[in-house]
Amino acid sequence: DAKTTQPTSMDCAEGRAANLPCNHSTISGNEYVYWYRQIHSQGPQYIIHGLKNNETNEMASLIITEDRKSSTLILPHATLRDTAVYYCIGHSSGANNLFFGTGTRLTVIP
Amino acid sequence: SQTIHQWPATLVQPVGSPLSLECTVEGTSNPNLYWYRQAAGRGLQLLFYSVGIGQISSEVPQNLSASRPQDRQFILSSKKLLLSDSGFYLCAWSVSPWETQYFGPGTRLLVL
């Protein structure tokens, strides 16, 4: 699975869009970009994933660059409950392991 | 809809004691099941995964074992706990090995 690089921490004002970047320059053609988040003392929560095209669901949007070397997770209207550690993961089909790095600690500020 | 349960939520055990953590999944059949451990402030380490009843693959040599006695039940065990076994244990499931994994609430284990 590709190594991913994320900023250690970010702040976002409540109600504003949170844009979380991720670099995955070594991602291979069959690796999906997955995003999970982990609120303190809870299990990781799946957010969204994509391969090439941008994706949107009820939680977030995922923007993947055309060269697939980076992506951005967008929480359109951040709330205090979105405060968590966000993990960007490159995951290939057939691989059992999800490699969670250190992620980005997002703090939503009132 | 599918749900995944883990118990207990927290556990404090003395060194040398046995361990049994349970994970069950509802609302799906023949799921792929996973046990992960997360040390404090660190990422997740895959310990075991299972593609079916009685089928267990171990990712890392360790003091722990896993069993899958029923389709939707996954158990993590140890005969004698070590201090290094402390951590946050997470169970996850997926429809197939290459699809999205969904995690349970976790069990926090402290070995003293």
Side-chain angles (χ1 to χ4, degrees):
Chain A
D1 290 347
K3 176 180 169 56
T4 61
T5 305
Q6 298 177 253
T8 303
S9 63
M10 292 180 62
D11 292 339
C12 177
E14 186 179 16
R16 304 297 294 270
N19 297 282
L20 292 93
C22 179
N23 288 321
H24 32 79
S25 57
T26 61
I27 197 168
S28 62
N30 68 341
E31 285 186 280
Y32 285 79
V33 179
Y34 272 81
W35 283 84
Y36 284 79
R37 72 181 181 184
Q38 190 171 23
I39 297 169
H40 183 63
S41 296
Q42 297 183 22
Q45 179 188 22
Y46 165 77
I47 301 173
I48 199 167
H49 74 284
L51 185 63
K52 294 181 182 178
N53 300 323
N54 298 336
E55 302 287 345
T56 295
N57 64 18
E58 65 278 4
M59 290 183 69
S61 295
L62 174 61
I63 308 299
I64 303 174
T65 58
E66 192 170 342
D67 63 7
R68 298 206 336 118
K69 292 185 177 182
S70 65
S71 61
T72 301
L73 179 74
I74 301 172
L75 307 178
H77 306 286
T79 71
L80 298 179
R81 288 177 294 181
D82 292 323
T83 292
V85 179
Y86 287 77
Y87 296 97
C88 168
I89 301 163
H91 183 55
S92 60
S93 59
N96 291 292
N97 198 7
L98 286 177
F99 178 73
F100 283 69
T102 53
T104 296
R105 181 172 298 279
L106 176 70
T107 302
V108 180
I109 302 169
Chain B
S1 64
Q2 300 83 12
T3 54
I4 179 168
H5 304 278
Q6 288 186 245
W7 63 88
T10 60
L11 191 60
V12 181
Q13 292 285 95
V15 169
S17 64
L19 173 74
S20 181
L21 303 182
E22 190 164 345
C23 170
T24 59
V25 181
E26 295 177 356
T28 187
S29 297
N30 195 32
N32 285 260
L33 296 172
Y34 311 83
W35 277 112
Y36 288 86
R37 176 170 58 205
Q38 184 176 34
R42 304 185 66 177
L44 274 66
Q45 178 187 35
L46 180 64
L47 302 175
F48 301 95
Y49 69 92
S50 172
V51 299
I53 295 174
Q55 301 179 63
I56 309 295
S57 296
S58 175
E59 289 294 298
V60 293
Q62 60 203 307
N63 182 42
L64 302 168
S65 62
S67 62
R68 185 169 176 174
Q70 300 180 43
D71 181 45
R72 290 168 289 176
Q73 183 185 33
F74 206 22
I75 297 172
L76 184 69
S77 304
S78 174
K79 292 182 179 178
K80 288 186 178 183
L81 283 169
L82 307 172
L83 289 175
S84 57
D85 292 324
S86 293
F88 191 40
Y89 287 84
L90 290 154
C91 182
W93 76 273
S94 65
V95 172
S96 61
W98 50 86
E99 296 195 48
T100 304
Q101 293 184 22
Y102 300 94
F103 287 82
T107 294
R108 192 162 301 280
L109 172 67
L110 180 60
V111 182
L112 300 176

